[in-house]
Amino acid sequence: MAARHIVLRILLVVGVVGLLVASAVGVVLYRYWDGRAVSTVGELSFENPLRIPELEEGRVEDGRRVHELTASAGTTSFKPGLDTPTLGYDGSYLGPTLLMRRGEEVEVRVTNELDEGTTTHWHGMSLPAVADGGPHSPIAPGDTWTPTWTVDQRAATLWYHPHPHEQTEDQVRRGLAGMVIVEDERSDLLPHDYGVDDIPVIVQDRGFAADGAFEEGSAVGTQTGTLGDELLVNGTWDPHLGVTTERVRLRLLNASTARVYDYGFADDRPFLMVASDGGLLETPVPLDRIQLSPGERAEIVVEVEPRERVVLRSFAPDLGLGPLERFEGGDDNFDVLQLRAAADLDPSPEVPGALGDPPDFGPEDAVAERTFRLNGTGEINGESMDPERIDTVVRAGSVERWEIRGDGTAHSFHLHDVQFRVLAVDGDDPPPELSGWKDTVFLRSGIRFDLLVRFSHHADAETPYMYHCHLLRHEDNGMMGQVLVTEDGEGPDRIDAPHEHGG
């Protein structure tokens, strides 16, 4: 009898705990979903002029272009009467747009005035591993990090953001990010007057508490990470852009930590996609939608008529999650930015029919094939990130075929230092928007992506590059691996790694 009472008590305790857990989960989901999808369509007045980040061209010292950045904490007024604690480079939120040109040597002096360690990663840039800014390049509070490299890649829209081990989501969410524009003679064929007909569009989702602080608890996805119920564009809430030319080039950057956007215009007008992550497409691609996951970029050119107003919108994205779609933002719609055309528009050049060069390598050049599985929310090939474990070693300059698949939920796969080609999506040819150079690609659950990767000539047997999920909660949970690029394709299984990460 006593044993029976003990068993009954255990069952009662388990049942109560289960109810409490279920209630807690229900409260979180109820706070976010409230029984419906999130939408700001038709709710914005577009009253605020879009902030255009300062274009930082740097200065030339001894033949080297020098940029300086300072990471610091501050407050930013996004909404009237509210101050939000934020982080930024050279300001309270986000950072300047760094302008670089192909072939020049650059130096960036990054000073950390935060009260915590950080790093600065050059997302999409081909450069030596010691300059890449991953978790192996910590910047302690009060220190300055000074990487140098030669810009040796085609014109592209890149960006920079922190990459400290297990702290990336928090620092990016609070505002540490900025754009990098690499120029060459081909990019000048398109609208290229920065801030006039060449516009950065850095999109981030945020939730705001009553006191103005960024809110985490009110907008939580079940698997992908924190999802906000409002948008900031270049740090501007409720923005509009005054357009003075017949055509405008929008450099779209998904700088959110977890949310996927499916961009198009409210009137379904077509636009031309002219570039992906790694630069210009071979030919412009006419589209009316372009879906971008965290870390991805796309350049589009859209035409406007005098005096018209048209809204750039994010429609409900296709996450490939079936019934779970709505809990990861798959039913959400946002008005992003209103374009307001002037009464008289300056003429714009036609978009050329030929833009970028075709690749000079193909599948026949691959010297190795590798398979990577992004499992759940924190593992690649069944293992979580170990800063001292080397997962992959490749030969500098070699071409490899990587098969990537995400299981269980959505993922966004990013590989440092290189731009790759998407050869196939579940055995089929990739859609036109994936035909260009990529460094980040969205993975629907269970869908196989075949990538053709050519590694750069930057060899280093001691400092690795990263590959990881760019849903930053997943990255911080350990969904990241390390690849060494060496002269002969040989290298150690273990390395020494910093443990304190600068603070």
Side-chain angles (χ1 to χ4, degrees):
M1 182 68 69
R4 180 182 177 186
H5 282 302
I6 291 173
V7 170
L8 288 174
R9 287 183 179 183
I10 291 173
L11 291 174
L12 179 61
V13 170
V14 170
V16 170
V17 170
L19 285 173
L20 289 173
V21 171
S23 298
V25 172
V27 166
V28 170
L29 291 177
Y30 176 78
R31 289 183 66 194
Y32 178 40
W33 294 107
D34 198 18
R36 59 182 176 82
V38 172
S39 177
T40 64
V41 172
E43 296 183 0
L44 302 183
S45 60
F46 305 107
E47 63 183 18
N48 299 313
L50 178 69
R51 173 182 172 268
I52 304 297
E54 179 183 356
L55 186 66
E56 172 57 57
E57 299 185 45
R59 63 184 184 277
V60 176
E61 295 182 3
D62 299 325
R64 175 184 293 175
R65 187 168 300 277
V66 177
H67 297 274
E68 295 188 56
L69 293 172
T70 299
S72 61
T75 58
T76 306
S77 296
F78 300 107
K79 293 185 171 184
L82 293 177
D83 289 330
T84 303
T86 53
L87 305 181
Y89 296 101
D90 295 355
S92 66
Y93 192 76
L94 296 182
T97 296
L98 303 185
L99 182 65
M100 302 178 185
R101 197 159 185 93
R102 187 174 190 176
E104 69 181 359
E105 187 178 7
V106 299
E107 174 182 305
V108 188
R109 301 166 185 171
V110 185
T111 299
N112 180 12
E113 292 187 354
L114 305 173
D115 59 4
E116 58 189 303
T118 189
T119 80
T120 302
H121 166 55
W122 316 105
H123 184 125
M125 187 74 72
S126 177
L127 73 179
V130 293
D132 182 58
H136 292 271
S137 299
I139 314 171
D143 284 357
T144 297
W145 178 58
T146 309
T148 63
W149 70 93
T150 298
V151 180
D152 185 20
Q153 62 193 100
R154 63 190 63 82
T157 298
L158 314 178
W159 65 304
Y160 58 96
H161 62 79
H163 210 302
H165 186 45
E166 298 179 337
Q167 303 169 47
T168 299
E169 181 190 35
D170 177 65
Q171 292 192 359
V172 172
R173 183 186 63 84
R174 287 188 283 163
L176 286 179
M179 187 172 282
V180 179
I181 293 177
V182 175
E183 290 186 333
D184 63 15
E185 67 282 354
R186 292 292 181 91
S187 62
D188 295 343
L189 298 174
L190 297 167
H192 60 277
D193 189 354
Y194 182 83
V196 178
D197 60 5
D198 185 356
I199 309 297
V201 181
I202 304 172
V203 181
Q204 302 164 297
D205 61 327
R206 294 290 183 267
F208 289 90
D211 62 358
F214 288 142
E215 195 172 48
E216 294 184 67
S218 67
V220 178
T222 55
Q223 295 289 330
T224 56
T226 300
L227 301 175
D229 54 7
E230 299 184 76
L231 296 188
L232 298 175
V233 184
N234 298 350
T236 311
W237 177 72
D238 198 14
H240 72 265
L241 171 69
V243 178
T244 60
T245 56
E246 296 172 337
R247 296 178 181 85
V248 62
R249 177 186 190 178
L250 302 178
R251 297 178 183 260
L252 303 176
L253 161 60
N254 183 348
S256 295
T257 62
R259 185 177 287 284
V260 177
Y261 303 103
D262 191 13
Y263 294 109
F265 289 92
D267 61 358
D268 289 325
R269 71 180 55 197
F271 53 84
L272 292 177
M273 180 182 176
V274 295
S276 54
D277 299 339
L280 298 178
L281 305 180
E282 290 183 54
T283 59
V285 174
L287 298 172
D288 59 16
R289 298 284 189 276
I290 177 67
Q291 184 163 297
L292 299 179
S293 64
E296 287 187 285
R297 290 90 64 209
E299 298 179 32
I300 66 173
V301 175
V302 60
E303 296 184 1
V304 296
E305 298 291 334
R307 294 190 176 88
E308 76 170 337
R309 296 187 177 189
V310 62
V311 174
L312 177 66
R313 181 168 291 169
S314 174
F315 297 85
D318 176 13
L319 305 180
L321 296 177
L324 298 178
E325 192 98 350
R326 66 189 302 255
F327 297 109
E328 307 295 346
D331 288 349
D332 297 352
N333 295 268
F334 293 90
D335 280 347
V336 180
L337 171 68
Q338 184 187 65
L339 306 186
R340 296 182 180 178
D344 296 306
L345 298 175
D346 294 332
S348 297
E350 294 280 348
V351 175
L355 293 170
D357 293 324
D360 58 357
F361 64 96
E364 67 280 2
D365 297 309
V367 298
E369 296 185 3
R370 304 180 194 270
T371 300
F372 299 87
R373 296 289 182 267
L374 281 67
N375 315 112
T377 62
E379 294 180 342
I380 297 180
N381 290 343
E383 294 188 303
S384 292
M385 167 70 171
D386 177 352
E388 296 190 344
R389 185 187 68 237
I390 295 301
D391 301 280
T392 306
V393 182
V394 304
R395 178 169 56 82
S398 66
V399 176
E400 296 193 354
R401 186 168 183 146
W402 285 24
E403 179 190 306
I404 314 293
R405 193 177 76 189
D407 294 322
T409 187
H411 298 288
S412 182
F413 181 79
H414 172 52
L415 176 58
H416 289 207
D417 183 52
V418 303
Q419 297 292 333
F420 52 74
R421 294 173 56 200
V422 179
L423 290 181
V425 180
D426 238 16
D428 296 326
D429 291 338
E433 60 269 26
L434 294 181
S435 64
W437 298 101
K438 298 283 292 174
D439 55 55
T440 309
V441 67
F442 180 61
L443 304 180
R444 293 174 180 83
S445 180
I447 302 298
R448 187 184 82 247
F449 280 71
D450 290 302
L451 311 181
L452 194 64
V453 184
R454 181 166 64 185
F455 290 90
S456 74
H457 62 276
H458 301 297
D460 188 329
E462 298 181 356
T463 307
Y465 296 103
M466 306 292 120
Y467 53 87
H468 59 88
C469 182
H470 218 282
L471 304 184
L472 298 184
R473 180 73 55 82
H474 293 183
E475 175 188 322
D476 286 346
N477 284 347
M479 190 170 278
M480 182 158 59
Q482 303 195 114
V483 54
L484 276 180
V485 179
T486 66
E487 290 288 355
D488 57 3
E490 302 292 331
D493 295 328
R494 307 285 299 181
I495 59 169
D496 292 331
H499 292 278
E500 297 302 321
H501 299 284

